[in-house]
Amino acid sequence: MVEQQVAPQGAPQGAHWLSLHLLLSHAKDEVPDELIETPLPNVMELAFYFEQAGVGLSRDETYQILLALKQLVDAHPLQKCRFWGKILGIKGNYIVAEAEYREGEEEEDEGLEEEHEGAEKEEIRDDEEEKEEQEDLDPLPKSTYRPPPVVPKEANRSGANKFTYFVCSEPGKPWVKLPAVTPAQIVAARKIRKFFTGQLDAPIVSFPPFLGDESNYLRAQIARISAGTQVSPLGFYQFGAEEGEEEEEAVRDTYEENPEFEGIPVPEMAESLASWVHHVQHILPQGRCVWVNVSQKKGEGEEEEEEEEEEKEEEPDEPEPEVGPPLLTPLSEDAEIDTLPPWTGKVSSSLIPQYSIAVLRSNLWPGAYAFATGRKFENIYLGWGLKYITDNFAPHLPPQVQMEYTSGVEIMEAEDPTVEEEQAMKAALEEQKAEEEEMEDMEEEAEDDD
């Protein structure tokens, strides 16, 4: 039984509750700002809305994820943190958290790894140069194949690496930071289909080969899913008013919340895809959000080595820049998948529409959902991390067989002579030898006469 608090006799009606309210407000003022302003998201409130949409996890698991996110926020200097979703695997699952470090406090361990890789490449080049010097006496045919230029990855806080992602197999287990994604990994991930095993160090055996292990493949899939399914109500975000004309011509990658946004009616958001927009940049076929011309970025040493060969060859045409849909593009412009709409919208309850929310489901990435009601909205992904395909998956075909080495006189194998040819050659050699002996005898006789 809950005891009811009754105002003392003789006191004015509501005086006790007024004093209690003042006491609570005074206690609230004494709460430090660190506890109020925290990057920890209110996962339980979001789970309440997703439960109305018919998606989400159990309440026990959701509360455990909330406690796990609190551990993540306490261990790292994060400015923002969000429960991204859950990716299922064969032997284990991945709970994914999307985070953003505070300015100047981001951990940069990947640069050291790149330096070590660069040093190893230099050592390999030195060994190859030594071998070439040794082979100068007996040169071998050299290959004219040149590998395509490497597309540089996008810097932190930009493009596909705008956010940092942490994963854990179960709530309570340590969080693991995923590495930054590279364009080559995104391009390869688009050509293969692999189920996750739940082990970050598991190798990815596929064709074309994937550069990295399951942690890199997981990061590439997260980037692809985020670029295609992270949506928000139209007008909630807006571009900054301080941008100049030069920045307007470039690709916009930043936005801010619109304080004047009052929300869109739920029936309109459920029926019209034009009331939703993408707030994550589109990934181009190059594997980056911002296209870069790799043909212009060459080192001085490489240019000096290639000058002689480039003079003989014709200059290739300049590649055309890749252009994708700009930021905050409405969902109504998304392409269909063989007459299948890319999105499906509905109202959470048709019996009580005044208290329902708008629910959006992605048909391109099964497991991606979004809800919106008033100024509240959120995205979540619960699935296997694979894209929808209409037909059966067909692996990427291997390249064509290379042509044989061009044969020449210096490497052609001579045919064996016949018996008649050998006898004729032997007779010719004997005649030549006899003539040489006669010439020597005549020279000796001439010397004796002198």
Side-chain angles (χ1 to χ4, degrees):
M1 298 292 292
V2 179
E3 297 182 359
Q4 297 182 356
Q5 297 181 357
V6 183
Q9 296 181 358
Q13 194 65 249
H16 175 72
W17 299 109
L18 179 61
S19 61
L20 181 61
H21 175 70
L22 294 175
L23 180 62
L24 293 175
S25 62
H26 178 68
K28 184 177 180 180
D29 296 338
E30 294 179 354
V31 176
D33 296 338
E34 297 179 357
L35 298 179
I36 299 176
E37 298 179 1
T38 174
L40 183 65
N42 192 352
V43 181
M44 300 304 296
E45 181 184 4
L46 300 178
F48 166 74
Y49 289 105
F50 279 116
E51 186 178 0
Q52 298 183 43
V55 297
L57 306 173
S58 63
R59 295 186 180 181
D60 293 342
E61 187 175 3
T62 303
Y63 188 71
Q64 293 173 2
I65 292 174
L66 175 61
L67 298 179
L69 292 176
K70 185 178 184 302
Q71 293 179 348
L72 177 63
V73 171
D74 295 341
H76 298 273
L78 303 180
Q79 182 180 359
K80 295 180 181 179
C81 183
R82 186 177 73 88
F83 175 52
W84 186 87
K86 183 177 181 180
I87 293 182
L88 307 178
I90 299 175
K91 300 179 181 179
N93 305 323
Y94 292 112
I95 297 173
V96 185
E98 183 182 88
E100 183 178 358
Y101 280 92
R102 299 172 188 170
E103 294 185 2
E105 297 184 359
E106 188 168 1
E107 301 174 359
E108 297 183 356
D109 297 335
E110 299 170 2
L112 299 176
E113 296 178 0
E114 292 179 355
E115 291 179 1
H116 291 306
E117 291 178 358
E120 292 177 357
K121 290 180 180 178
E122 290 180 359
E123 293 178 358
I124 294 172
R125 290 177 181 175
D126 295 339
D127 296 339
E128 291 178 353
E129 290 178 358
E130 293 178 0
K131 292 180 180 178
E132 290 178 357
E133 292 177 358
Q134 296 176 358
E135 293 174 355
D136 287 342
L137 301 176
D138 187 11
L140 298 175
K142 296 182 180 180
S143 174
T144 58
Y145 170 76
R146 293 185 178 276
V150 179
V151 181
K153 71 176 182 180
E154 295 176 299
N156 295 334
R157 298 178 180 271
S158 64
N161 293 320
K162 184 176 182 180
F163 298 102
T164 305
Y165 292 91
F166 296 85
V167 296
C168 66
S169 57
E170 294 179 4
K173 291 189 176 182
W175 291 93
V176 179
K177 178 183 175 182
L178 295 180
V181 67
T182 61
Q185 293 170 354
I186 293 179
V187 172
R190 286 170 169 168
K191 299 178 181 179
I192 63 177
R193 287 178 68 87
K194 299 284 290 187
F195 281 105
F196 293 96
T197 62
Q199 301 174 357
L200 292 175
D201 57 350
I204 302 296
V205 181
S206 63
F207 183 84
F210 184 83
L211 302 177
D213 53 11
E214 186 163 302
S215 63
N216 303 103
Y217 179 61
L218 176 63
R219 181 63 182 86
Q221 291 297 92
I222 290 175
R224 296 178 60 199
I225 296 172
S226 299
T229 63
Q230 298 293 317
V231 295
S232 59
L234 176 65
F236 185 87
Y237 292 116
Q238 64 179 2
F239 295 110
E242 298 179 358
E243 296 181 354
E245 296 181 357
E246 297 180 358
E247 296 183 356
E248 290 181 0
E249 297 179 358
V251 179
R252 292 181 173 179
D253 58 350
T254 58
Y255 50 81
E256 60 186 14
E257 293 188 10
N258 183 11
E260 300 179 357
F261 178 74
E262 299 180 355
I264 302 176
V266 172
E268 182 179 350
M269 297 202 68
E271 295 177 0
S272 175
L273 295 177
S275 56
W276 298 83
V277 296
H278 291 277
H279 61 265
V280 175
Q281 286 182 280
H282 175 76
I283 300 179
L284 301 173
Q286 191 183 39
R288 291 170 50 99
C289 296
V290 180
W291 185 79
V292 59
N293 189 0
V294 295
S295 61
Q296 294 180 354
K297 293 187 176 182
K298 292 184 179 179
E300 296 179 357
E302 295 179 359
E303 290 180 356
E304 293 177 358
E305 294 177 358
E306 295 176 359
E307 280 181 358
E308 298 178 358
E309 297 181 0
E310 286 183 355
E311 289 178 358
K312 300 178 181 178
E313 298 178 358
E314 296 181 358
E315 295 183 358
D317 298 335
E318 287 292 330
E320 296 182 0
E322 297 176 358
V323 180
L327 205 60
L328 302 184
T329 300
L331 269 61
S332 57
E333 299 183 8
D334 291 1
E336 296 184 352
I337 315 166
D338 291 346
T339 68
L340 178 68
W343 298 90
T344 301
K346 68 174 184 178
V347 178
S348 61
S349 175
S350 58
L351 299 176
I352 312 175
Q354 59 270 25
Y355 297 118
S356 61
I357 62 175
V359 182
L360 199 63
R361 181 188 67 187
S362 174
N363 298 326
L364 188 62
W365 290 95
Y369 295 87
F371 82 88
T373 172
R375 287 185 57 87
K376 287 185 178 295
F377 77 94
E378 189 55 72
N379 299 267
I380 194 173
Y381 180 82
L382 303 170
W384 293 91
L386 296 177
K387 193 175 182 179
Y388 173 79
I389 55 174
T390 55
D391 301 329
N392 295 331
F393 174 69
H396 192 69
L397 297 177
Q400 296 182 355
V401 179
Q402 294 184 354
M403 299 295 293
E404 292 290 341
Y405 185 79
T406 305
S407 60
V409 180
E410 66 278 2
I411 62 172
M412 289 181 63
E413 185 177 358
E415 296 181 358
D416 294 336
T418 61
V419 178
E420 292 77 7
E421 291 176 351
E422 288 182 352
Q423 293 176 354
M425 180 64 69
K426 187 176 181 180
L429 291 174
E430 290 177 355
E431 291 179 0
Q432 184 179 0
K433 187 176 181 180
E435 291 177 357
E436 292 178 355
E437 291 177 355
E438 290 179 0
M439 291 294 295
E440 290 177 358
D441 294 340
M442 292 175 63
E443 290 177 357
E444 291 178 358
E445 292 177 357
E447 291 178 357
D448 293 341
D449 294 341
D450 295 339

